[in-house]
Amino acid sequence: MDYETLKLIWWALIGVLLIGFAVTDGFDMGVGMLLRVIGKTDMDRRVMINTVGPHWEGNQVWFVTAGGAIFAAWPMVYAAAFSGLYTALIITLCALFFRPVGFDYRSKVDDPRWRNMWDWGLTIGGLVPPLIFGVAFGNLMLGLPFELDSLLRPSYHGSFWALLTPFALICGLLSVAMLAMHGGTWLQMKTRGLLHTRAQRVTQLCALAVIVLFLLAGIWLLLGIDGMHIVDSKPLGDKINPLMKTVAYGNSGWQANYQAFPLLWMIPVLGVLMAAATWLCSRSESPLAFVASALSITCIILTAGIALFPFVMPSSRDPNVSLTMWDATSSELTLGLMFAAAVIFIPIILLYNIWCYRKMFGRVTREYIEDNSHSSY
């Protein structure tokens, strides 16, 4: 297998890992952010937590693996992103801390103030990460203000507050709405009674919000944001680095791949149709709402990935040093060894996850929590 094929495979694999993270960890984050919205009593919230309790740690594997894969396959992207977005990532990490601690300790003390505090912690842990991830994706479309010196060392010239542009905030809200919708469909499958009815209502509202925000972000991107395209670079196969190309701004930059391959327009269209299908399936109480929600999230993330391709981290300060999946990758040996490991371990992760979901299939009820009050979350 040649080096260029390995680069393409790793672009696709990292995309799969990010989508796997959004689809699996997305529903437990969605349940977390809905904890104070539809969980009216302590028992409601305990039922909600126990629907995701057996799965959330396994779901984190996708997040950790995706982070590790970016570090190993695109070390320059990892270095530039983690130094430039340091404040945003620290806030995300702090919010994520609430999840393991909240899950483990919330129900250990029978004190309303203690449980109320951890309920808010779990809500923050479910809400803040998707909001920041969405804002980060929005800023990728706008380009991040970094540059590289002659030794390929990145320097960032922005601030945390400069990330919060109107377009990026819409992307952040879209990300929150997607995961809240996904969490709502999960709760519909796993609960009964009033909690089930509230989950149904919030799922339908979030599905409509996903459609509106995705269309708004798409129209804004088509009409109001200049994308980038490579106008000159060395042929693929030559030894290249991010300083060896010329990049130009243009309104059609992020549309270029869709214009070259018109069938790709089906991906964003399916993103909207699957969100609409989630609304319809939720109304008819079909378990397919969860599948439709997962497909909508997949198509929305693919829409952004295809628009950016081959860019991974565009630079608004000096577009010529933007990092792409062709010129910001690890060596051929590293990508080859990682590919061999991925071929072995990704199927194992998939099989393990499927086995866990199969064993834990079924609804969580008040009676189950009362009968297992000491072993439940």
Side-chain angles (χ1 to χ4, degrees), residues 187-234:
L187 288 172
Q188 279 185 247
M189 290 195 303
K190 299 289 287 184
T191 61
R192 298 181 190 277
L194 284 175
L195 192 55
H196 173 92
T197 305
R198 292 188 210 116
Q200 190 180 19
R201 287 177 189 155
V202 82
T203 299
Q204 291 165 26
L205 285 174
C206 290
L208 294 175
V210 168
I211 294 171
V212 171
L213 289 167
F214 186 47
L215 289 175
L216 181 59
I219 292 170
W220 194 331
L221 194 66
L222 288 174
L223 302 179
I225 294 175
D226 282 344
M228 298 179 189
H229 61 280
I230 298 172
V231 295
D232 184 40
S233 66
K234 284 197 167 188

mmCIF file of all heavy atoms in Angstrom, residues 187-234:
data_model
loop_
_atom_site.group_PDB
_atom_site.id
_atom_site.type_symbol
_atom_site.label_atom_id
_atom_site.label_comp_id
_atom_site.label_asym_id
_atom_site.label_seq_id
_atom_site.Cartn_x
_atom_site.Cartn_y
_atom_site.Cartn_z
ATOM 1 N N LEU A 187 -33.641 8.003 25.472
ATOM 2 C CA LEU A 187 -34.542 7.936 26.628
ATOM 3 C C LEU A 187 -35.915 7.391 26.235
ATOM 4 O O LEU A 187 -36.580 6.726 27.036
ATOM 5 C CB LEU A 187 -34.681 9.323 27.257
ATOM 6 C CG LEU A 187 -33.444 9.815 28.012
ATOM 7 C CD1 LEU A 187 -33.617 11.275 28.419
ATOM 8 C CD2 LEU A 187 -33.184 8.960 29.241
ATOM 9 N N GLN A 188 -36.332 7.659 25.009
ATOM 10 C CA GLN A 188 -37.607 7.096 24.560
ATOM 11 C C GLN A 188 -37.556 5.574 24.524
ATOM 12 O O GLN A 188 -38.545 4.899 24.796
ATOM 13 C CB GLN A 188 -37.938 7.612 23.154
ATOM 14 C CG GLN A 188 -38.557 8.995 23.144
ATOM 15 C CD GLN A 188 -38.968 9.395 21.739
ATOM 16 O OE1 GLN A 188 -38.402 10.304 21.162
ATOM 17 N NE2 GLN A 188 -39.929 8.700 21.186
ATOM 18 N N MET A 189 -36.393 5.023 24.166
ATOM 19 C CA MET A 189 -36.260 3.561 24.110
ATOM 20 C C MET A 189 -36.118 2.942 25.485
ATOM 21 O O MET A 189 -36.430 1.775 25.684
ATOM 22 C CB MET A 189 -35.029 3.177 23.274
ATOM 23 C CG MET A 189 -35.136 3.447 21.810
ATOM 24 S SD MET A 189 -33.853 2.563 20.894
ATOM 25 C CE MET A 189 -32.373 3.170 21.673
ATOM 26 N N LYS A 190 -35.595 3.724 26.456
ATOM 27 C CA LYS A 190 -35.178 3.119 27.722
ATOM 28 C C LYS A 190 -36.066 3.451 28.918
ATOM 29 O O LYS A 190 -35.788 2.996 30.022
ATOM 30 C CB LYS A 190 -33.744 3.581 28.045
ATOM 31 C CG LYS A 190 -32.700 3.170 27.003
ATOM 32 C CD LYS A 190 -32.408 1.682 27.023
ATOM 33 C CE LYS A 190 -31.595 1.290 28.244
ATOM 34 N NZ LYS A 190 -31.220 -0.130 28.229
ATOM 35 N N THR A 191 -37.086 4.304 28.729
ATOM 36 C CA THR A 191 -37.903 4.694 29.883
ATOM 37 C C THR A 191 -39.388 4.475 29.594
ATOM 38 O O THR A 191 -39.782 4.185 28.464
ATOM 39 C CB THR A 191 -37.673 6.180 30.233
ATOM 40 O OG1 THR A 191 -38.055 6.997 29.117
ATOM 41 C CG2 THR A 191 -36.224 6.453 30.571
ATOM 42 N N ARG A 192 -40.189 4.673 30.638
ATOM 43 C CA ARG A 192 -41.640 4.540 30.509
ATOM 44 C C ARG A 192 -42.316 5.745 31.175
ATOM 45 O O ARG A 192 -41.677 6.515 31.879
ATOM 46 C CB ARG A 192 -42.138 3.272 31.221
ATOM 47 C CG ARG A 192 -41.598 1.968 30.687
ATOM 48 C CD ARG A 192 -42.191 0.802 31.477
ATOM 49 N NE ARG A 192 -41.523 -0.462 31.164
ATOM 50 C CZ ARG A 192 -41.820 -1.222 30.120
ATOM 51 N NH1 ARG A 192 -42.792 -0.844 29.299
ATOM 52 N NH2 ARG A 192 -41.165 -2.343 29.903
ATOM 53 N N GLY A 193 -43.629 5.867 30.971
ATOM 54 C CA GLY A 193 -44.434 6.846 31.713
ATOM 55 C C GLY A 193 -44.173 8.288 31.322
ATOM 56 O O GLY A 193 -43.863 8.611 30.165
ATOM 57 N N LEU A 194 -44.275 9.173 32.331
ATOM 58 C CA LEU A 194 -44.147 10.603 32.078
ATOM 59 C C LEU A 194 -42.760 10.972 31.549
ATOM 60 O O LEU A 194 -42.619 11.865 30.709
ATOM 61 C CB LEU A 194 -44.420 11.383 33.380
ATOM 62 C CG LEU A 194 -45.888 11.503 33.787
ATOM 63 C CD1 LEU A 194 -45.984 12.187 35.147
ATOM 64 C CD2 LEU A 194 -46.673 12.298 32.742
ATOM 65 N N LEU A 195 -41.744 10.286 32.061
ATOM 66 C CA LEU A 195 -40.388 10.564 31.598
ATOM 67 C C LEU A 195 -40.262 10.260 30.099
ATOM 68 O O LEU A 195 -39.656 11.022 29.345
ATOM 69 C CB LEU A 195 -39.398 9.731 32.404
ATOM 70 C CG LEU A 195 -37.915 10.080 32.271
ATOM 71 C CD1 LEU A 195 -37.659 11.536 32.587
ATOM 72 C CD2 LEU A 195 -37.084 9.168 33.162
ATOM 73 N N HIS A 196 -40.874 9.170 29.679
ATOM 74 C CA HIS A 196 -40.879 8.801 28.264
ATOM 75 C C HIS A 196 -41.585 9.886 27.440
ATOM 76 O O HIS A 196 -41.104 10.287 26.373
ATOM 77 C CB HIS A 196 -41.603 7.462 28.108
ATOM 78 C CG HIS A 196 -41.828 7.058 26.691
ATOM 79 N ND1 HIS A 196 -40.954 6.280 25.982
ATOM 80 C CD2 HIS A 196 -42.845 7.351 25.825
ATOM 81 C CE1 HIS A 196 -41.410 6.102 24.762
ATOM 82 N NE2 HIS A 196 -42.563 6.741 24.640
ATOM 83 N N THR A 197 -42.718 10.384 27.942
ATOM 84 C CA THR A 197 -43.480 11.413 27.213
ATOM 85 C C THR A 197 -42.676 12.704 27.097
ATOM 86 O O THR A 197 -42.648 13.339 26.033
ATOM 87 C CB THR A 197 -44.807 11.697 27.952
ATOM 88 O OG1 THR A 197 -45.515 10.462 28.105
ATOM 89 C CG2 THR A 197 -45.654 12.680 27.176
ATOM 90 N N ARG A 198 -42.003 13.096 28.189
ATOM 91 C CA ARG A 198 -41.178 14.324 28.131
ATOM 92 C C ARG A 198 -40.014 14.145 27.150
ATOM 93 O O ARG A 198 -39.671 15.071 26.413
ATOM 94 C CB ARG A 198 -40.644 14.648 29.531
ATOM 95 C CG ARG A 198 -41.711 15.076 30.518
ATOM 96 C CD ARG A 198 -41.080 15.556 31.823
ATOM 97 N NE ARG A 198 -41.959 15.299 32.940
ATOM 98 C CZ ARG A 198 -41.692 14.485 33.957
ATOM 99 N NH1 ARG A 198 -40.521 13.860 34.009
ATOM 100 N NH2 ARG A 198 -42.556 14.313 34.932
ATOM 101 N N ALA A 199 -39.409 12.953 27.160
ATOM 102 C CA ALA A 199 -38.302 12.694 26.219
ATOM 103 C C ALA A 199 -38.797 12.787 24.780
ATOM 104 O O ALA A 199 -38.093 13.295 23.895
ATOM 105 C CB ALA A 199 -37.704 11.315 26.494
ATOM 106 N N GLN A 200 -40.010 12.305 24.547
ATOM 107 C CA GLN A 200 -40.597 12.360 23.200
ATOM 108 C C GLN A 200 -40.763 13.817 22.753
ATOM 109 O O GLN A 200 -40.411 14.172 21.618
ATOM 110 C CB GLN A 200 -41.955 11.661 23.234
ATOM 111 C CG GLN A 200 -42.568 11.423 21.885
ATOM 112 C CD GLN A 200 -43.911 10.717 22.025
ATOM 113 O OE1 GLN A 200 -44.526 10.717 23.097
ATOM 114 N NE2 GLN A 200 -44.342 10.094 20.953
ATOM 115 N N ARG A 201 -41.269 14.666 23.645
ATOM 116 C CA ARG A 201 -41.484 16.068 23.285
ATOM 117 C C ARG A 201 -40.158 16.770 22.999
ATOM 118 O O ARG A 201 -40.018 17.508 22.021
ATOM 119 C CB ARG A 201 -42.204 16.794 24.430
ATOM 120 C CG ARG A 201 -43.672 16.406 24.557
ATOM 121 C CD ARG A 201 -44.280 17.112 25.753
ATOM 122 N NE ARG A 201 -45.609 16.606 26.042
ATOM 123 C CZ ARG A 201 -46.187 16.661 27.240
ATOM 124 N NH1 ARG A 201 -45.523 17.194 28.256
ATOM 125 N NH2 ARG A 201 -47.407 16.199 27.418
ATOM 126 N N VAL A 202 -39.167 16.554 23.864
ATOM 127 C CA VAL A 202 -37.900 17.265 23.686
ATOM 128 C C VAL A 202 -37.163 16.754 22.436
ATOM 129 O O VAL A 202 -36.474 17.525 21.747
ATOM 130 C CB VAL A 202 -37.035 17.147 24.959
ATOM 131 C CG1 VAL A 202 -36.279 15.834 25.021
ATOM 132 C CG2 VAL A 202 -36.057 18.299 25.067
ATOM 133 N N THR A 203 -37.328 15.477 22.102
ATOM 134 C CA THR A 203 -36.722 14.946 20.877
ATOM 135 C C THR A 203 -37.277 15.659 19.651
ATOM 136 O O THR A 203 -36.532 16.058 18.746
ATOM 137 C CB THR A 203 -37.002 13.433 20.756
ATOM 138 O OG1 THR A 203 -36.427 12.767 21.861
ATOM 139 C CG2 THR A 203 -36.414 12.870 19.472
ATOM 140 N N GLN A 204 -38.594 15.834 19.630
ATOM 141 C CA GLN A 204 -39.218 16.474 18.465
ATOM 142 C C GLN A 204 -38.786 17.937 18.346
ATOM 143 O O GLN A 204 -38.500 18.429 17.253
ATOM 144 C CB GLN A 204 -40.732 16.363 18.573
ATOM 145 C CG GLN A 204 -41.226 14.932 18.405
ATOM 146 C CD GLN A 204 -42.647 14.735 18.857
ATOM 147 O OE1 GLN A 204 -43.444 15.655 18.860
ATOM 148 N NE2 GLN A 204 -42.964 13.525 19.261
ATOM 149 N N LEU A 205 -38.705 18.640 19.474
ATOM 150 C CA LEU A 205 -38.240 20.034 19.441
ATOM 151 C C LEU A 205 -36.801 20.118 18.951
ATOM 152 O O LEU A 205 -36.452 20.977 18.126
ATOM 153 C CB LEU A 205 -38.353 20.656 20.839
ATOM 154 C CG LEU A 205 -39.765 21.038 21.308
ATOM 155 C CD1 LEU A 205 -39.723 21.492 22.756
ATOM 156 C CD2 LEU A 205 -40.327 22.152 20.420
ATOM 157 N N CYS A 206 -35.952 19.226 19.460
ATOM 158 C CA CYS A 206 -34.535 19.251 19.070
ATOM 159 C C CYS A 206 -34.359 18.862 17.601
ATOM 160 O O CYS A 206 -33.478 19.397 16.916
ATOM 161 C CB CYS A 206 -33.719 18.318 19.969
ATOM 162 S SG CYS A 206 -33.555 18.932 21.649
ATOM 163 N N ALA A 207 -35.185 17.929 17.102
ATOM 164 C CA ALA A 207 -35.086 17.558 15.680
ATOM 165 C C ALA A 207 -35.403 18.767 14.804
ATOM 166 O O ALA A 207 -34.718 19.004 13.792
ATOM 167 C CB ALA A 207 -36.042 16.404 15.379
ATOM 168 N N LEU A 208 -36.424 19.533 15.165
ATOM 169 C CA LEU A 208 -36.742 20.742 14.398
ATOM 170 C C LEU A 208 -35.604 21.755 14.496
ATOM 171 O O LEU A 208 -35.254 22.409 13.504
ATOM 172 C CB LEU A 208 -38.048 21.357 14.915
ATOM 173 C CG LEU A 208 -39.312 20.511 14.693
ATOM 174 C CD1 LEU A 208 -40.523 21.171 15.343
ATOM 175 C CD2 LEU A 208 -39.567 20.317 13.195
ATOM 176 N N ALA A 209 -35.012 21.884 15.696
ATOM 177 C CA ALA A 209 -33.883 22.812 15.877
ATOM 178 C C ALA A 209 -32.694 22.390 15.017
ATOM 179 O O ALA A 209 -32.007 23.235 14.427
ATOM 180 C CB ALA A 209 -33.481 22.865 17.352
ATOM 181 N N VAL A 210 -32.445 21.073 14.919
ATOM 182 C CA VAL A 210 -31.340 20.579 14.086
ATOM 183 C C VAL A 210 -31.560 20.976 12.632
ATOM 184 O O VAL A 210 -30.648 21.470 11.953
ATOM 185 C CB VAL A 210 -31.213 19.041 14.222
ATOM 186 C CG1 VAL A 210 -30.280 18.479 13.146
ATOM 187 C CG2 VAL A 210 -30.684 18.679 15.596
ATOM 188 N N ILE A 211 -32.784 20.784 12.137
ATOM 189 C CA ILE A 211 -33.077 21.123 10.734
ATOM 190 C C ILE A 211 -32.854 22.618 10.486
ATOM 191 O O ILE A 211 -32.177 23.014 9.533
ATOM 192 C CB ILE A 211 -34.535 20.726 10.391
ATOM 193 C CG1 ILE A 211 -34.682 19.209 10.446
ATOM 194 C CG2 ILE A 211 -34.927 21.255 9.022
ATOM 195 C CD1 ILE A 211 -36.118 18.717 10.342
ATOM 196 N N VAL A 212 -33.406 23.460 11.367
ATOM 197 C CA VAL A 212 -33.299 24.911 11.185
ATOM 198 C C VAL A 212 -31.839 25.368 11.269
ATOM 199 O O VAL A 212 -31.349 26.114 10.410
ATOM 200 C CB VAL A 212 -34.171 25.648 12.235
ATOM 201 C CG1 VAL A 212 -33.891 27.152 12.203
ATOM 202 C CG2 VAL A 212 -35.637 25.371 11.989
ATOM 203 N N LEU A 213 -31.124 24.908 12.292
ATOM 204 C CA LEU A 213 -29.738 25.361 12.485
ATOM 205 C C LEU A 213 -28.809 24.840 11.394
ATOM 206 O O LEU A 213 -27.908 25.549 10.937
ATOM 207 C CB LEU A 213 -29.239 24.904 13.866
ATOM 208 C CG LEU A 213 -29.873 25.624 15.063
ATOM 209 C CD1 LEU A 213 -29.564 24.894 16.364
ATOM 210 C CD2 LEU A 213 -29.384 27.065 15.139
ATOM 211 N N PHE A 214 -29.029 23.593 10.945
ATOM 212 C CA PHE A 214 -28.182 23.032 9.876
ATOM 213 C C PHE A 214 -28.401 23.791 8.569
ATOM 214 O O PHE A 214 -27.440 24.123 7.854
ATOM 215 C CB PHE A 214 -28.506 21.544 9.705
ATOM 216 C CG PHE A 214 -27.609 20.832 8.734
ATOM 217 C CD1 PHE A 214 -26.230 20.980 8.774
ATOM 218 C CD2 PHE A 214 -28.142 19.987 7.769
ATOM 219 C CE1 PHE A 214 -25.402 20.308 7.879
ATOM 220 C CE2 PHE A 214 -27.333 19.317 6.872
ATOM 221 C CZ PHE A 214 -25.957 19.487 6.925
ATOM 222 N N LEU A 215 -29.676 24.091 8.256
ATOM 223 C CA LEU A 215 -29.955 24.855 7.034
ATOM 224 C C LEU A 215 -29.380 26.270 7.138
ATOM 225 O O LEU A 215 -28.802 26.792 6.180
ATOM 226 C CB LEU A 215 -31.468 24.916 6.796
ATOM 227 C CG LEU A 215 -32.118 23.594 6.360
ATOM 228 C CD1 LEU A 215 -33.632 23.751 6.274
ATOM 229 C CD2 LEU A 215 -31.565 23.138 5.010
ATOM 230 N N LEU A 216 -29.544 26.889 8.310
ATOM 231 C CA LEU A 216 -29.032 28.249 8.504
ATOM 232 C C LEU A 216 -27.503 28.278 8.344
ATOM 233 O O LEU A 216 -26.955 29.141 7.636
ATOM 234 C CB LEU A 216 -29.422 28.751 9.899
ATOM 235 C CG LEU A 216 -28.982 30.165 10.275
ATOM 236 C CD1 LEU A 216 -29.559 31.177 9.295
ATOM 237 C CD2 LEU A 216 -29.431 30.500 11.709
ATOM 238 N N ALA A 217 -26.818 27.317 8.970
ATOM 239 C CA ALA A 217 -25.354 27.260 8.863
ATOM 240 C C ALA A 217 -24.935 26.991 7.415
ATOM 241 O O ALA A 217 -23.970 27.583 6.912
ATOM 242 C CB ALA A 217 -24.803 26.177 9.782
ATOM 243 N N GLY A 218 -25.674 26.112 6.721
ATOM 244 C CA GLY A 218 -25.331 25.796 5.339
ATOM 245 C C GLY A 218 -25.505 26.989 4.415
ATOM 246 O O GLY A 218 -24.641 27.268 3.578
ATOM 247 N N ILE A 219 -26.623 27.717 4.572
ATOM 248 C CA ILE A 219 -26.858 28.892 3.716
ATOM 249 C C ILE A 219 -25.810 29.962 3.999
ATOM 250 O O ILE A 219 -25.281 30.599 3.089
ATOM 251 C CB ILE A 219 -28.289 29.420 3.965
ATOM 252 C CG1 ILE A 219 -29.310 28.400 3.449
ATOM 253 C CG2 ILE A 219 -28.486 30.772 3.294
ATOM 254 C CD1 ILE A 219 -30.740 28.693 3.856
ATOM 255 N N TRP A 220 -25.496 30.160 5.283
ATOM 256 C CA TRP A 220 -24.474 31.140 5.665
ATOM 257 C C TRP A 220 -23.127 30.775 5.028
ATOM 258 O O TRP A 220 -22.410 31.611 4.488
ATOM 259 C CB TRP A 220 -24.360 31.189 7.181
ATOM 260 C CG TRP A 220 -23.610 32.366 7.725
ATOM 261 C CD1 TRP A 220 -22.595 33.063 7.127
ATOM 262 C CD2 TRP A 220 -23.821 33.003 8.983
ATOM 263 N NE1 TRP A 220 -22.157 34.069 7.938
ATOM 264 C CE2 TRP A 220 -22.891 34.063 9.086
ATOM 265 C CE3 TRP A 220 -24.684 32.755 10.045
ATOM 266 C CZ2 TRP A 220 -22.811 34.873 10.196
ATOM 267 C CZ3 TRP A 220 -24.609 33.570 11.163
ATOM 268 C CH2 TRP A 220 -23.684 34.621 11.249
ATOM 269 N N LEU A 221 -22.814 29.460 5.060
ATOM 270 C CA LEU A 221 -21.535 29.004 4.505
ATOM 271 C C LEU A 221 -21.504 29.190 2.984
ATOM 272 O O LEU A 221 -20.486 29.591 2.413
ATOM 273 C CB LEU A 221 -21.337 27.523 4.846
ATOM 274 C CG LEU A 221 -19.938 26.944 4.645
ATOM 275 C CD1 LEU A 221 -18.945 27.577 5.597
ATOM 276 C CD2 LEU A 221 -19.967 25.433 4.844
ATOM 277 N N LEU A 222 -22.630 28.925 2.333
ATOM 278 C CA LEU A 222 -22.672 29.040 0.875
ATOM 279 C C LEU A 222 -22.570 30.483 0.405
ATOM 280 O O LEU A 222 -21.906 30.793 -0.582
ATOM 281 C CB LEU A 222 -23.976 28.427 0.349
ATOM 282 C CG LEU A 222 -24.092 26.905 0.406
ATOM 283 C CD1 LEU A 222 -25.483 26.469 -0.004
ATOM 284 C CD2 LEU A 222 -23.065 26.263 -0.510
ATOM 285 N N LEU A 223 -23.232 31.381 1.142
ATOM 286 C CA LEU A 223 -23.351 32.755 0.661
ATOM 287 C C LEU A 223 -22.405 33.753 1.319
ATOM 288 O O LEU A 223 -22.064 34.773 0.714
ATOM 289 C CB LEU A 223 -24.804 33.247 0.867
ATOM 290 C CG LEU A 223 -25.888 32.403 0.185
ATOM 291 C CD1 LEU A 223 -27.260 32.983 0.478
ATOM 292 C CD2 LEU A 223 -25.644 32.340 -1.324
ATOM 293 N N GLY A 224 -22.009 33.479 2.561
ATOM 294 C CA GLY A 224 -21.312 34.528 3.298
ATOM 295 C C GLY A 224 -19.899 34.215 3.749
ATOM 296 O O GLY A 224 -19.247 35.070 4.357
ATOM 297 N N ILE A 225 -19.407 33.007 3.485
ATOM 298 C CA ILE A 225 -18.075 32.653 3.998
ATOM 299 C C ILE A 225 -17.201 32.158 2.848
ATOM 300 O O ILE A 225 -17.592 31.249 2.105
ATOM 301 C CB ILE A 225 -18.184 31.559 5.090
ATOM 302 C CG1 ILE A 225 -18.918 32.127 6.307
ATOM 303 C CG2 ILE A 225 -16.802 31.054 5.477
ATOM 304 C CD1 ILE A 225 -19.190 31.113 7.373
ATOM 305 N N ASP A 226 -16.040 32.769 2.708
ATOM 306 C CA ASP A 226 -15.091 32.327 1.690
ATOM 307 C C ASP A 226 -14.366 31.070 2.157
ATOM 308 O O ASP A 226 -13.814 31.031 3.252
ATOM 309 C CB ASP A 226 -14.056 33.426 1.421
ATOM 310 C CG ASP A 226 -14.620 34.518 0.532
ATOM 311 O OD1 ASP A 226 -15.669 34.274 -0.107
ATOM 312 O OD2 ASP A 226 -14.034 35.605 0.487
ATOM 313 N N GLY A 227 -14.370 30.051 1.298
ATOM 314 C CA GLY A 227 -13.612 28.842 1.594
ATOM 315 C C GLY A 227 -12.218 28.936 0.987
ATOM 316 O O GLY A 227 -11.812 29.992 0.501
ATOM 317 N N MET A 228 -11.486 27.864 1.045
ATOM 318 C CA MET A 228 -10.122 27.848 0.511
ATOM 319 C C MET A 228 -9.986 26.733 -0.517
ATOM 320 O O MET A 228 -10.694 25.718 -0.442
ATOM 321 C CB MET A 228 -9.107 27.617 1.635
ATOM 322 C CG MET A 228 -9.083 28.694 2.690
ATOM 323 S SD MET A 228 -7.872 28.289 3.975
ATOM 324 C CE MET A 228 -8.250 29.564 5.174
ATOM 325 N N HIS A 229 -9.089 26.919 -1.442
ATOM 326 C CA HIS A 229 -8.748 25.843 -2.364
ATOM 327 C C HIS A 229 -7.275 25.961 -2.728
ATOM 328 O O HIS A 229 -6.698 27.055 -2.752
ATOM 329 C CB HIS A 229 -9.631 25.856 -3.610
ATOM 330 C CG HIS A 229 -9.525 27.114 -4.409
ATOM 331 N ND1 HIS A 229 -10.186 28.268 -4.059
ATOM 332 C CD2 HIS A 229 -8.825 27.398 -5.534
ATOM 333 C CE1 HIS A 229 -9.923 29.212 -4.936
ATOM 334 N NE2 HIS A 229 -9.094 28.719 -5.841
ATOM 335 N N ILE A 230 -6.664 24.807 -3.005
ATOM 336 C CA ILE A 230 -5.235 24.764 -3.327
ATOM 337 C C ILE A 230 -5.074 25.078 -4.814
ATOM 338 O O ILE A 230 -5.667 24.392 -5.664
ATOM 339 C CB ILE A 230 -4.652 23.378 -2.995
ATOM 340 C CG1 ILE A 230 -4.797 23.095 -1.492
ATOM 341 C CG2 ILE A 230 -3.180 23.303 -3.394
ATOM 342 C CD1 ILE A 230 -4.426 21.672 -1.095
ATOM 343 N N VAL A 231 -4.287 26.102 -5.121
ATOM 344 C CA VAL A 231 -4.096 26.474 -6.532
ATOM 345 C C VAL A 231 -2.756 25.977 -7.073
ATOM 346 O O VAL A 231 -2.580 25.897 -8.288
ATOM 347 C CB VAL A 231 -4.192 28.007 -6.709
ATOM 348 C CG1 VAL A 231 -5.599 28.484 -6.380
ATOM 349 C CG2 VAL A 231 -3.170 28.744 -5.851
ATOM 350 N N ASP A 232 -1.826 25.655 -6.193
ATOM 351 C CA ASP A 232 -0.535 25.154 -6.669
ATOM 352 C C ASP A 232 0.133 24.347 -5.552
ATOM 353 O O ASP A 232 0.173 24.784 -4.408
ATOM 354 C CB ASP A 232 0.370 26.328 -7.076
ATOM 355 C CG ASP A 232 1.681 25.834 -7.677
ATOM 356 O OD1 ASP A 232 1.633 24.848 -8.439
ATOM 357 O OD2 ASP A 232 2.742 26.405 -7.358
ATOM 358 N N SER A 233 0.621 23.171 -5.903
ATOM 359 C CA SER A 233 1.339 22.348 -4.912
ATOM 360 C C SER A 233 2.187 21.334 -5.664
ATOM 361 O O SER A 233 2.006 21.114 -6.870
ATOM 362 C CB SER A 233 0.361 21.618 -3.986
ATOM 363 O OG SER A 233 -0.382 20.674 -4.718
ATOM 364 N N LYS A 234 3.081 20.690 -4.952
ATOM 365 C CA LYS A 234 3.900 19.642 -5.558
ATOM 366 C C LYS A 234 3.026 18.423 -5.841
ATOM 367 O O LYS A 234 2.028 18.187 -5.138
ATOM 368 C CB LYS A 234 5.045 19.254 -4.621
ATOM 369 C CG LYS A 234 6.182 20.280 -4.591
ATOM 370 C CD LYS A 234 7.425 19.650 -3.987
ATOM 371 C CE LYS A 234 8.636 20.524 -4.237
ATOM 372 N NZ LYS A 234 9.882 19.877 -3.834
#
